Amino acid sequence: MHIAMHCTSRSLLAGAFRLAVQPHPSTLPPPFLLPAFTTIQRATFSSSPSPQARKDGNPNRGISPLRRKVTTRFAKRVKKDIANIPQPVLDPRLRSAVEVDEDHGLWEFFGQEKNSLATPVEISAHGRGWTVAELRRKDWDDLWRLWWVCLKDRNRLATFEAEKERIGNLYGEEESKKRRRELNVTLGGIKHVLTERWYAWENARYAAMEDPEVNLYADPDKGEQALIRPQEEKKVESIQDTLPPPPADEKLGSEVRA
Amino acid sequence: MALPFKVGKKELFLPNFIITFLRNQTLPANYARFEVPLWFSKLDLRDYLYHAYNVRIFSVTSYVKQQRARFGAPGGEENQTPMMRKWHRPRAKKFMTVQLERPFVWPEEPEDLTAWDKETVEAQRGHQEAERDKMMPTADTLVNEDRRKSMKEQARALLEGREKWEPRGREKNLTSMMARR
């Protein structure tokens, strides 16, 4: 088959010459193709794959893996393991329970008791939100911590609400609304205080820009002073300088004593 | 320990949104489902869960659920006013399902729901629905089985002579008027 499918120029040329003997002018190649037949093409062309590529010592080359004989060690092991493959448990009641870690982060979406729902009594066990006056006395770290505590509590409330809605026909929506209102009071208060601080800082910055005694662009690493004091005050630095000069007679006396 | 993913570089100090953790009813234990704000991206949820809850995840799938057109004026559930010939479509909801590094199983549903007064709420809702049906245009098709039963018993008692019919109320006045005439 390999040889029969050869289609060299030589065979074409032979065919052309053979045809030329026969009196059928329509089967002759047109004259402008004649230069192509004069040159002899050495390389063969074939669409069938070269037999060289298959010489890799694999007798199963080309045979479907479903039908071929098990020869390799890996394939033998796979065949052995298939017999011991674990079967899926289709009945969910027979499945072994999944162990959840005690320190799993998703427990923070639930209360301390790790219940799927909080009762209305538990939800309404809270005080009022923080007032702005109380929050003003707190530093950034405290405010930030409080913000996240409120945020997580709000997530927890939303989780309980969704679960309650899923079960349906349960009281407790009003309690969680009230609690969320108090949380929002605290969150709003924190934003209020931080905005106040930002304005205070901004006003101070503007004041410093207009103050001739303050150099905002001073680099303390290079030893530059941010506060430039006027000349008169610069003299008054130590107590020694503030003391009046000693009287002349005392100076004389000291010399006498010496 | 190296993270299995790249964490975003933008620092967000005071985020202000709500993430709802939803019960996983059908998926295996290493999947968790959340309701997130509509503008949330998968990377947002991944970083939020890692930084805020120390939960590591492998993958996220997201789903936007279009809401049904509702009767009444637009607005939240709180300021819902019934308005004739007014329809609105509530904002769509976004859900994300994550594949967890450590499996998590939801705690079991409480068996005793007396703390939430489930029976009272159900009774109240049933009563409200019955009252609503009485106001509907199809109210004349409703059959009051109790009334039908009691009428049957009264009729049988009258026929058997166990009770004697006596005019009462307006009927009594009518009969007295007729007698005077």
Side-chain angles (χ1 to χ4, degrees):
Chain A
M1 186 180 171
H2 178 236
I3 297 157
M5 280 185 69
H6 265 208
C7 185
T8 57
S9 59
R10 191 183 292 175
S11 65
L12 273 176
L13 197 63
F17 284 138
R18 197 165 61 247
L19 286 168
V21 181
Q22 292 167 353
H24 292 292
S26 61
T27 54
L28 279 174
F32 64 85
L33 283 180
L34 276 174
F37 292 110
T38 54
T39 53
I40 293 163
Q41 199 176 343
R42 293 285 177 194
T44 59
F45 171 75
S46 170
S47 64
S48 55
S50 165
Q52 303 293 326
R54 289 190 166 178
K55 286 187 177 170
D56 59 350
N58 184 358
N60 287 327
R61 172 73 61 209
I63 302 171
S64 163
L66 294 175
R67 297 170 193 281
R68 76 163 65 126
K69 272 187 187 172
V70 176
T71 50
T72 62
R73 229 182 300 160
F74 173 73
K76 278 177 186 162
R77 209 183 70 214
V78 166
K79 203 156 196 182
K80 210 172 107 188
D81 288 351
I82 280 173
N84 304 327
I85 213 162
Q87 293 295 315
V89 183
L90 296 175
D91 191 356
R93 285 168 299 176
L94 300 177
R95 287 175 198 158
S96 53
V98 178
E99 285 180 16
V100 184
D101 300 335
E102 285 296 310
D103 59 340
H104 202 294
L106 289 179
W107 282 123
E108 285 191 67
F109 280 97
F110 303 92
Q112 291 287 327
E113 294 83 24
K114 298 184 177 178
N115 290 332
S116 67
L117 268 182
T119 60
V121 177
E122 285 167 356
I123 287 176
S124 55
H126 63 86
R128 58 169 176 80
W130 286 63
T131 61
V132 175
E134 289 161 350
L135 290 168
R136 275 197 194 108
R137 307 177 62 183
K138 297 288 172 186
D139 64 347
W140 160 249
D141 285 341
D142 284 349
L143 292 181
W144 195 27
R145 215 166 285 139
L146 187 58
W147 179 276
W148 275 97
V149 166
C150 292
L151 218 64
K152 286 189 176 179
D153 201 21
R154 227 167 44 161
N155 285 352
R156 204 173 297 133
L157 278 183
T159 302
F160 289 146
E161 275 305 298
E163 176 68 358
K164 220 153 51 188
E165 202 174 318
R166 190 188 67 79
I167 296 170
N169 292 344
L170 297 180
Y171 272 131
E173 195 185 346
E174 193 56 35
E175 283 80 358
S176 53
K177 257 184 203 168
K178 274 181 187 165
R179 189 177 176 124
R180 198 177 308 137
R181 218 169 288 144
E182 296 304 328
L183 288 170
N184 286 342
V185 164
T186 307
L187 292 172
I190 291 171
K191 283 253 172 176
H192 185 101
V193 167
L194 291 174
T195 313
E196 265 182 7
R197 280 180 199 174
W198 187 83
Y199 274 110
W201 182 80
E202 193 67 4
N203 289 344
R205 201 171 67 85
Y206 271 97
M209 278 163 73
E210 288 166 5
D211 195 343
E213 291 182 14
V214 177
N215 178 18
L216 272 183
Y217 305 101
D219 191 356
D221 294 340
K222 291 177 184 171
E224 292 172 6
Q225 290 271 324
L227 183 64
I228 308 155
R229 282 172 176 158
Q231 291 298 314
E232 304 95 70
E233 288 180 29
K234 208 168 186 180
K235 274 185 184 174
V236 190
E237 279 195 339
S238 62
I239 306 161
Q240 284 296 319
D241 297 339
T242 56
L243 289 173
D249 53 347
E250 199 182 327
K251 200 178 173 184
L252 267 172
S254 64
E255 276 175 18
V256 168
R257 255 177 258 143
Chain B
M1 191 176 164
L3 280 176
F5 49 81
K6 271 188 190 173
V7 177
K9 286 177 183 168
K10 184 181 173 183
E11 288 183 328
L12 192 61
F13 289 96
L14 303 172
N16 194 4
F17 47 77
I18 295 176
I19 302 285
T20 312
F21 185 26
L22 300 169
R23 184 185 274 275
N24 177 2
Q25 295 189 71
T26 51
L27 292 166
N30 57 336
Y31 285 89
R33 197 155 162 267
F34 297 92
E35 188 185 336
V36 296
L38 202 53
W39 53 268
F40 231 52
S41 78
K42 295 179 180 182
L43 306 182
D44 288 339
L45 182 67
R46 192 187 63 185
D47 284 15
Y48 181 78
L49 285 178
Y50 173 64
H51 289 303
Y53 288 93
N54 196 20
V55 172
R56 294 179 188 197
I57 60 174
F58 292 129
S59 65
V60 191
T61 55
S62 84
Y63 171 56
V64 176
K65 192 176 183 186
Q66 184 77 272
Q67 297 297 293
R68 230 177 59 218
R70 304 276 167 90
F71 196 67
E77 286 177 9
E78 290 183 3
N79 51 349
Q80 195 60 252
T81 47
M83 288 177 75
M84 292 301 283
R85 298 191 203 91
K86 193 87 177 176
W87 289 82
H88 76 283
R89 191 180 290 280
R91 190 169 287 240
K93 287 179 179 175
K94 193 168 202 171
F95 298 96
M96 285 190 183
T97 307
V98 302
Q99 193 184 354
L100 301 166
E101 202 181 71
R102 293 150 76 193
F104 184 83
V105 182
W106 259 68
E108 281 187 13
E109 193 183 310
E111 288 177 6
D112 183 20
L113 291 168
T114 47
W116 294 269
D117 236 353
K118 188 177 169 69
E119 287 178 9
T120 314
V121 181
E122 275 175 352
Q124 182 194 3
R125 188 155 292 178
H127 179 71
Q128 274 178 356
E129 280 176 8
E131 289 298 312
R132 188 198 58 199
D133 288 346
K134 281 182 196 168
M135 307 283 282
M136 297 296 270
T138 53
D140 55 346
T141 61
L142 295 177
V143 178
N144 192 340
E145 290 290 339
D146 294 341
R147 184 178 153 82
R148 184 179 272 188
K149 209 175 279 175
S150 73
M151 280 177 77
K152 196 174 181 181
E153 281 174 12
Q154 283 177 45
R156 184 169 292 152
L158 279 174
L159 287 172
E160 290 174 359
R162 277 185 279 126
E163 282 180 26
K164 204 182 171 189
W165 183 76
E166 277 181 15
R168 280 186 296 196
R170 197 168 152 219
E171 292 155 1
K172 199 174 180 179
N173 293 341
L174 268 174
T175 44
S176 59
M177 275 167 71
M178 295 288 277
R180 254 179 270 146
R181 201 178 281 178

